[in-house]
Amino acid sequence: MVLSTNLVNTALAQKSSDSEETSKYVYCELVGTLKFLSAKFNISVDYGQERRFFKDTKMKDEQSRKVGEYNSMVDALNYMADNGWEFVQAYVVTVGDMNVYRWLLRKKKE
């Protein structure tokens, strides 16, 4: 019985530390797909906002103007890095015959 109590206490202490680290940041995800018949990328940004079918989530600048086409996911990442975001993790999901590139970014809360 003592062994299981120690395991529970250890797990709770670790969780507390992780949540403190996570709470220092806001996160977003770059979602990229190749444009049809092009080598350029369509990039959307997921900030955790409510999704609507007709709502445009393509990258925009501070004045809500659409930002230009991106040559690659790294091109979009460089734009985000210039605006204070840092790379955390990337993965690819294949949907049908299309690759969907998903890059997690974070930024310190102000």
Side-chain angles (χ1 to χ4, degrees):
M1 189 62 144
V2 174
L3 180 59
S4 65
T5 304
N6 288 337
L7 288 175
V8 170
N9 289 337
T10 303
L12 291 176
Q14 182 64 40
K15 184 177 179 181
S16 175
S17 174
D18 288 346
S19 66
E20 288 174 14
E21 179 69 20
T22 301
S23 67
K24 294 179 185 178
Y25 298 96
V26 290
Y27 292 85
C28 76
E29 186 174 47
L30 294 181
V31 181
T33 56
L34 277 171
K35 292 182 84 170
F36 184 68
L37 297 176
S38 174
K40 301 215 183 251
F41 275 75
N42 285 321
I43 306 287
S44 296
V45 183
D46 179 357
Y47 295 102
Q49 73 274 21
E50 180 182 347
R51 293 185 179 213
R52 295 194 179 121
F53 186 68
F54 293 107
K55 180 147 173 85
D56 185 11
T57 58
K58 289 195 174 72
M59 290 178 67
K60 297 179 175 75
D61 65 10
E62 297 79 23
Q63 288 80 33
S64 295
R65 295 177 300 200
K66 285 186 184 176
V67 179
E69 295 181 333
Y70 293 91
N71 297 315
S72 67
M73 291 295 292
V74 173
D75 190 17
L77 177 61
N78 286 333
Y79 173 81
M80 296 296 282
D82 288 344
N83 288 285
W85 293 91
E86 67 180 80
F87 175 82
V88 175
Q89 181 180 12
Y91 61 99
V92 178
V93 177
T94 302
V95 179
D97 291 336
M98 180 174 57
N99 287 333
V100 179
Y101 301 88
R102 304 182 79 94
W103 290 23
L104 183 65
L105 310 177
R106 71 182 183 182
K107 185 179 192 178
K108 284 202 176 207
K109 290 182 180 178
E110 296 178 5

